[in-house]
Structure formats: structure tokens, C-alpha cells
């Protein structure tokens, strides 16, 4: 399973990259705004800075919503760096734009997926990734993980190469559940990724190992 970090914060991206388990980054206009990145030139510079940190798979989201504008913006984003994956919203013109960009050899990530039918349409159009938003479904009392399961079944039935990128992840259990269900990728905040490290028995076990080693070394003196 691939691990992407869901942030536009360069320090957090570096920290995840340094951990040695990072396969990519997802951003969105809200995450860019949270880092205070505004204006075309700054946005472009920020995408380039992210690409300089990671090995591949930097999702850059279009902010236009018509076919003509989306393909123009998508092509411009793709030209910034070969690591860029153009993120397109699940709307009618978005599906058409995915089809066009895929035909041009540009990778796409269809975002804001909340139903299996939307994922199927994006896969038919040739999206490289579909991003079902688990946490936002959970927030409205709809089972987000069930959506991953349904999309997995549909994609496997027909052998779609489109990868399921589980998004809107809220914590470590979401990541583990996605792994069990066969999501190809998760994108999560750094806190959810590093929470996977933690177990109290690991901490107490390590403390005992080190204490026993110290005792034995002192006894041997
Ligand atoms: C996906 O690529 C989105 O950036 C993201 O996962 C949205 O998650 P949120 O519900 O935490 O905003």
C-alpha cells in the first residue's frame, strides 16, 4: 500500500519523507490556503518546492470548473514537474477533463468521491487515482470504509487499473482498515501516520530490555 501525506506543510512533508515511507503528497485548495499560499506564482513555487522533497505523486488540484479551463490548467500543472498528478473534481466537466488529460499521458486524481458510481465513472474516464473521502462520510453518519469496500469490488470485477486513494483519513485505525480492505493508497495527516508507531507494550518492553542490559553490564564490572 502506498502512503501519501495530506498536507501542503513543507516541514511535515520533509518529516514524513525522512521517515522513509512516503510515496507522495496530496494537497487541495483548503490545505494550500491553510499554509497561507495564495496567488498563482506562489502556488506554482510551492508545488515545485513539494516536488523537490518527494520522489513522486504530488497531487495538484485545479481551481477551475469548466472543461476548457480545467484542461488548460491541468496541462500547465503537469508541465511544472513529471511528479505532478492533476487533481480534478468529480463533476461532469471533470470527467471529460480526466478523459482528455489521460489521453495526453497526464496522470489524474479524481477527488471528492462519495459514491461507488462516481468512482466507476472516473475509472471509465481513465483516472490514475480516485479519492473517496472516508472521514467526511463518517462525519455525516455514513460508513466511509464501506465505500472503499464497494469500489474495491467494482474495480476488481473489471480489472480497472485506477488506484483507490483513500482520503479524508482521520486516524491510524482508518489506515489499518483501508489496508485490510485493499485500498491501493492512503493519504493521511502526519499525526495519523506517526500514530501507527505507537503501542504502550513497545515502550514498556523497550524500557525493560534497556534496563536489563544496563543491570547485566553493571553486574559484569
Ligand atoms: C484528499 O486528497 C483531500 O485533500 C483530503 O483527504 C480531504 O480531507 P479532509 O476531510 O480532512 O479535509
Amino acid at each position: 500500500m502506498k502512503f501519501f501525506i495530506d498536507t501542503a506543510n513543507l516541514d511535515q512533508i520533509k518529516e514524513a519523507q525522512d521517515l522513509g515511507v512516503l510515496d507522495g503528497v496530496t494537497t487541495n485548495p483548503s490545505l494550500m490556503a491553510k499554509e497561507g499560499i495564495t496567488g498563482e506564482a506562489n502556488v506554482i513555487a510551492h508545488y515545485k518546492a513539494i516536488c523537490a522533497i518527494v520522489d513522486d505523486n504530488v497531487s495538484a488540484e485545479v481551481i477551475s470548473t469548466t472543461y476548457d479551463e480545467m484542461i488548460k490548467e491541468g496541462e500547465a500543472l503537469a508541465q511544472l514537474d513529471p511528479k505532478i498528478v492533476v487533481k480534478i473534481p468529480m463533476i461532469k466537466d471533470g470527467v471529460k477533463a480526466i478523459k482528455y488529460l489521460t489521453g495526453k499521458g497526464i496522470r489524474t486524481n479524481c477527488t471528492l468521491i462519495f459514491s461507488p458510481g462516481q468512482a466507476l465513472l472516473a475509472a471509465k474516464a481513465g483516472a490514475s487515482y480516485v479519492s473517496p473521502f472516508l472521514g467526511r462520510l463518517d462525519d455525516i453518519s455514513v460508513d466511509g470504509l464501506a465505500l472503499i469496500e464497494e469500489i474495491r469490488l467494482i474495480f476488481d470485477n473489471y480489472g480497472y487499473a485506477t488506484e483507490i486513494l483513500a482520503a479524508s483519513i482521520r486516524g491510524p485505525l482508518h489506515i489499518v482498515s483501508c489496508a485490510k480492505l485493499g485500498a491501493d493508497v492512503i493519504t493521511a495527516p502526519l499525526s495519523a501516520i506517526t500514530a501507527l508507531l505507537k503501542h504502550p507494550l513497545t515502550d514498556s518492553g523497550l524500557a525493560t530490555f534497556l534496563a536489563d542490559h544496563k543491570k547485566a553490564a553493571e553486574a559484569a564490572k
Side-chain angles (χ1 to χ4, degrees), residues 6 26-28 31 61 87 109 111 131 133 135-136 139 165 167-170 187:
D6 197 27
T26 51
T27 62
N28 64 42
L31 292 172
E61 187 160 343
K87 205 170 176 188
N109 169 3
T111 190
S131 289
F133 277 35
R136 292 193 193 185
D139 290 346
L165 196 177
S168 188
I169 296 263
R170 300 284 193 243
T187 188

Side-chain angles (χ1 to χ4, degrees), residues 53-82:
I53 299 170
V54 300
D55 299 331
D56 194 14
N57 290 305
V58 176
S59 278
E61 187 160 343
V62 299
I63 48 164
S64 45
T65 54
T66 64
Y67 172 73
D68 288 339
E69 287 172 328
M70 275 190 276
I71 62 170
K72 193 173 158 209
E73 203 186 335
E75 285 182 317
L77 287 169
Q79 272 177 6
L80 294 179
D81 194 293

